[in-house]
Amino acid sequence: MVRLAFIPAGAAVCLTSTVTQAVPRDPAAPRDPAAAEALFRAGRERVAAGDWAKACPLFAESNRLDFALGTLMNLAACEEHVGRLATAWEQYRELLERLPTDDERRAFVAESVGRLDRAVPRLTVVLAVPSVEGTTVTRDDVDLGRASLGTDLPVDPGEHSIAVAAPGRFGRRYSIRLAAGQRLTLRAEVGEPTVEDAPPRTDGGRRTAAWILGGAGVGALSLGAYFGVRALSGRSASDAYCTNGVCRDQAAVDQYDAAKAAAVGADIALAAGVMSLGAATYFLATSTSTAGPAPAAASIHVTPAGVGLAW
């Protein structure tokens, strides 16, 4: 199977008439040359129409069904055109390794590798210490092993998501945006302990209110007890001079009224004391709790003007 090679318009060398033999990557991989050729032609039609976004999947599928250097060159040019620079850079590098030394397309491919090497963004993810045993880090749902952490890795421009997960910790996710040619080092951290493992968190305001209300409650109860004793004593004394609310003289009436007022004061003070102690008990009970979830995601926005961090 032969397939026309393609060089983007404006390239120094035009090789649209050069043919490239199909080169299977894996003999065990399924091959369908006829379907691959149809997909390749459909991709070229989309390119001619200026629809690069739809052309890339067609070239990729053609290459999967029947790998050919010409198809790979079209795919690399397509990926570069839609902004997936790291993907195109890697494909051009593969082309440079596979093309024969006397192939006239090598000059264009080598120039493309060098151009994209300067334009591809680089992201370094560093796991902050102390970390937790069993921590995993993923970038765009792809696991980053220990060797990848701390290494300057090429990525496509645009949005990327870095997630950190660790046993007994809340997950943490970072969202970053990289422009062409930018470099960023992201210091990723594990999340806060989960509820089961979190240390107690004390609310100082509630504890202070509990102690104040408790003191007020004890004072009110003491005052109520004082008025209660006065009421009982006054009532006992007035009973000797008053019968069924009828007193012998004004002094006896005054003593009876004073005992009645003391009883009312005792009731009010005792009720206030009980309510204050109840509120104090509630504030004290709710002043200590486990720490709630920490923010699960951090959002980092990278622009040519600088880096902004939002939680």
Side-chain angles (χ1 to χ4, degrees):
M1 175 66 61
V2 296
R3 213 162 292 147
L4 292 179
F6 166 72
I7 299 295
V13 180
C14 182
L15 302 174
T16 54
S17 62
T18 303
V19 297
T20 304
Q21 294 293 334
V23 184
R25 280 175 170 168
D26 181 1
R31 293 186 60 204
D32 190 342
E37 180 67 20
L39 289 163
F40 177 80
R41 292 181 181 275
R44 289 298 306 276
E45 290 174 1
R46 299 318 307 165
V47 168
D51 193 350
W52 294 85
K54 290 185 178 179
C56 293
L58 294 170
F59 290 138
E61 181 65 3
S62 173
N63 223 30
R64 185 184 72 84
L65 294 177
D66 187 28
F67 176 75
L69 296 179
T71 308
L72 183 58
M73 180 169 286
N74 278 265
L75 179 58
C78 190
E79 297 287 12
E80 180 182 0
H81 200 89
V82 298
R84 289 191 283 267
L85 303 186
T87 305
W89 176 69
E90 179 56 34
Q91 290 165 346
Y92 278 127
R93 282 166 52 89
E94 181 179 354
L95 277 167
L96 197 59
E97 293 177 357
R98 286 177 171 267
L99 284 172
T101 56
D102 59 348
D103 195 305
E104 55 185 343
R105 293 170 297 180
R106 287 184 62 87
F108 170 78
V109 173
E111 186 276 330
S112 298
V113 171
R115 181 183 68 256
L116 292 178
D117 187 62
R118 295 185 295 272
V120 170
R122 258 77 173 184
L123 175 63
T124 303
V125 179
V126 177
L127 186 60
V129 293
S131 61
V132 178
E133 185 68 26
T135 298
T136 60
V137 181
T138 60
R139 186 195 68 212
D140 302 325
D141 298 323
V142 176
D143 288 334
L144 295 180
R146 290 290 174 179
S148 295
L149 298 176
T151 302
D152 194 27
L153 299 177
V155 295
D156 288 325
E159 294 281 352
H160 296 278
S161 178
I162 293 85
V164 182
R169 299 296 184 105
F170 288 102
R172 179 163 288 174
R173 184 175 294 273
Y174 298 84
S175 178
I176 66 172
R177 172 177 286 276
L178 287 170
Q182 287 189 316
R183 293 176 181 267
L184 173 69
T185 297
L186 174 66
R187 186 175 181 270
E189 300 179 351
V190 297
E192 296 297 324
T194 56
V195 174
E196 293 78 6
D197 300 328
R201 181 182 62 200
T202 301
D203 188 328
R206 285 179 174 269
R207 290 184 66 85
T208 300
W211 287 116
I212 292 174
L213 288 171
V218 171
L221 290 177
S222 299
L223 186 62
Y226 169 75
F227 281 122
V229 171
R230 285 194 59 183
L232 291 174
S233 176
R235 179 64 182 273
S236 178
S238 67
D239 283 345
Y241 303 100
C242 301
T243 303
N244 296 326
V246 179
C247 300
R248 298 178 184 179
D249 51 30
Q250 185 61 42
V253 171
D254 293 341
Q255 194 172 31
Y256 178 85
D257 290 338
K260 187 175 180 181
V264 173
D267 290 340
I268 294 174
L270 289 173
V274 171
M275 292 176 63
S276 295
L277 287 178
T281 302
Y282 170 78
F283 283 125
L284 191 62
T286 57
S287 65
T288 302
S289 63
T290 55
S299 179
I300 298 178
H301 305 284
V302 182
T303 66
V307 180
L309 174 63
W311 291 88

